[in-house]
Amino acid sequence: MLNIVLLGFMGTGKTSVGQRISEKLQMSMVDTDTIVETDNQMIIGKIFDRYGEDYFRNLENAAVRKASKYTNHVISTGGGVVLRAENLNLLQENGLLFCLKATPEEIFERIKDDSHRPLLKGPNPPNKIRHLLQTRQVQYQRIEHQIETTNSSIEEVTNQIIGIYQSASSPPQP
Ligand code: S3P
């Protein structure tokens, strides 16, 4: 069975929705950020601080390679996985790709109390969110299934994704 691959900006619900899909469909879940942290024995904030973003992107690419070899998994990804087209090609080999979306205002509301996202540290996070979203918009838009989450609950988003996944996985009618 194909993987369910969740992509999208920080705070769009990839982890929460991924966990719920994994419970409902009894599929194991992996997360590329967790793979990076486990394989390198370092949290992402520290990797950014010590070695910078480019270095992190190489580790992230290695994590994507690893995750994309699985089948029948829910794969939750870091928000910047789309920055390398190669990552999307790898994930597509065994997976159905979903891009979770939300407005910048909603994203800020969801992540404003978290301190573990290095790209949003410092003054004026709402501006950083708007700017990053804009620079990545083209890459996010290329993903086949676009799922708007701004006014939806985790359960609604989960059910929408499961519905698409199940119809894509069912054999064609005679
Ligand atoms: C990043 C998103 C983060 C994490 C890293 C970089 C990004 O993951 O990979 O901080 O570039 O958007 P989440 O989307 O899970 O927060």
Side-chain angles (χ1 to χ4, degrees):
M1 288 286 277
L2 286 175
N3 296 318
I4 297 180
V5 183
L6 304 179
L7 300 135
F9 200 75
M10 297 171 257
T12 51
K14 292 164 294 185
T15 305
S16 316
V17 169
Q19 280 164 352
R20 193 69 191 110
I21 296 174
S22 137
E23 284 165 13
K24 289 186 89 163
L25 296 185
Q26 300 283 293
M27 287 164 80
S28 304
M29 173 164 161
V30 289
D31 180 313
T32 59
D33 282 343
T34 308
I35 296 175
V36 168
E37 291 184 336
T38 308
D39 286 358
N40 299 282
Q41 288 296 296
M42 198 179 284
I43 59 166
I44 285 168
K46 201 161 230 170
I47 297 173
F48 268 75
D49 280 351
R50 283 215 186 147
Y51 304 109
E53 181 172 349
D54 286 352
Y55 186 86
F56 169 75
R57 296 296 169 206
N58 290 335
L59 302 182
E60 183 173 60
N61 174 251
V64 167
R65 270 176 195 288
K66 209 173 197 180
S68 58
K69 293 212 167 64
Y70 291 110
T71 55
N72 205 29
H73 275 64
V74 180
I75 302 177
S76 171
T77 63
V81 154
V82 292
L83 294 172
R84 291 199 186 172
E86 187 207 355
N87 289 339
L88 296 185
N89 293 337
L90 285 164
L91 291 163
Q92 209 140 23
E93 282 173 15
N94 290 327
L96 202 60
L97 271 49
F98 295 87
C99 180
L100 273 55
K101 303 196 311 180
T103 61
E105 295 75 24
E106 176 67 16
I107 288 170
F108 178 64
E109 277 308 306
R110 291 182 190 170
I111 56 109
K112 66 178 190 240
D113 298 325
D114 299 348
S115 56
H116 65 272
R117 292 189 170 89
L119 291 177
L120 302 179
K121 275 205 309 213
N124 210 341
N127 238 356
K128 292 199 171 90
I129 292 171
R130 267 191 296 275
H131 175 74
L132 274 176
L133 267 175
Q134 219 167 17
T135 58
R136 296 177 180 179
Q137 200 182 14
V138 174
Q139 285 105 320
Y140 287 134
Q141 274 172 352
R142 288 206 187 105
I143 296 162
E144 183 177 3
H145 298 288
Q146 300 281 322
I147 310 289
E148 181 55 62
T149 74
T150 304
N151 296 309
S152 305
S153 65
I154 290 168
E155 203 60 22
E156 286 166 336
V157 176
T158 298
N159 291 339
Q160 195 184 346
I161 292 174
I162 289 177
I164 297 170
Y165 176 69
Q166 287 179 334
S167 43
S169 312
S170 58
Q173 298 304 308

